[in-house]
Amino acid sequence: FFSPHQCHLIHYLRLSHHLIVLNYLICTFDKLKSVSSEDIKITDAVFDGVEVRVFEPPAKGDESLKRSVVYIHGGGWALASARTSLYNNLCRIMAESLNAVVVSVEYRLVPEVCFPEQYHDALRATKHFLQPDVLAEYSVDPSRIAISGDSAGGNLAAAVCQQLSKDEDLPVRPKLQALIYPVLQAFDFNTPSYQQNMNMPVLPRFVMINYWIDYINGDYDLAHELLVNNHTALNVGRALSFRARLNWTSLLPPSFKKSYQPVVQTTGTAAIVERLPALLDVRAVPLLADDATLARQPRTYVLTCENDVLRDDGAMYASRLERAGVPVTLDHFHDCFHGCMIFTVWPTDFSAGVQTRSSYIKWLDENL
């Protein structure tokens, strides 16, 4: 017989195997060539060594410059592609609906590379696109650019936006950032949404921890330590200074906190942070950024779903940005689940996908 922890681990390994098979099928059979249509021109390019897919709507009459979205896809830093049908469809619809140039970043994935390479890829591609001569090549208005992404792509988008805000030599800066159920922290795996949705399909808690371990090149034997927050216990000195930046008891509304209680270990395992310093690196964990950095962020949209372990990551980031003086829209969906926005094509054409996508595009249309 197996212990409860062993049963949970077996369940987790089965889910991980499922994700590996799913990614193989997606990346092997579902990558689309850059086939343009009368409505949208689709081309593949390389921006400072990083592959991208560019979606360009046709010129309209006397219009000279278009707005633009740099989009970074999700998939736990390990799955999917800018060229799969799900993301190809999303970016094409964004380009059509917004009459905008959409740049979808094809960053390298785990296990080929680990943190910080995905971050560097996203940053390099974005900074290349923000050069005035490149924007002119694509007829983009430098004052109307958004940085956006979903899930792990939302993580990268937030981290890139923070870095761009610190770059004093950057001639062009994004007007907006739009984060869709972003993963923003690995400090606390027992927020109310992690506790509420720990076994929720699509993204159970153990699978999210697995994504983090792979991304920061850790060992699976640390999974249980992370799950119970031993890496940020009160005796872990390096974590203490960050605790107030991720105190969900003060950052979340009552409807999110419900009756859940914090899980804070008095004595944990300080060596975890020494082995995995990325756990406290703001390039990997944007929610740990200081207030001064947050105050420099552009107008922000955060989409969250009730049935998602990452719900509170997005809500806490929205709260901290708002306290720092940034205009924020928190768009919460009570009946939706993690990843739903890309599921709008048969046979996974869910109403949740259409609903969230429409709300996201509407916000971009009204603010970009």
Side-chain angles (χ1 to χ4, degrees), residues 254-274:
S255 60
F256 282 26
K257 289 188 287 188
K258 300 181 173 65
S259 59
Y260 293 102
Q261 298 299 314
V263 175
V264 181
Q265 305 295 348
T266 303
T267 302
T269 310
I272 297 175
V273 175
E274 301 300 325

Side-chain angles (χ1 to χ4, degrees), residues 176-197:
L176 309 171
Q177 68 174 336
L179 312 177
I180 303 152
Y181 31 75
V183 49
L184 298 171
Q185 60 90 21
F187 191 95
D188 184 355
F189 289 108
N190 289 274
T191 62
S193 62
Y194 265 113
Q195 294 187 55
Q196 173 184 320
N197 300 298

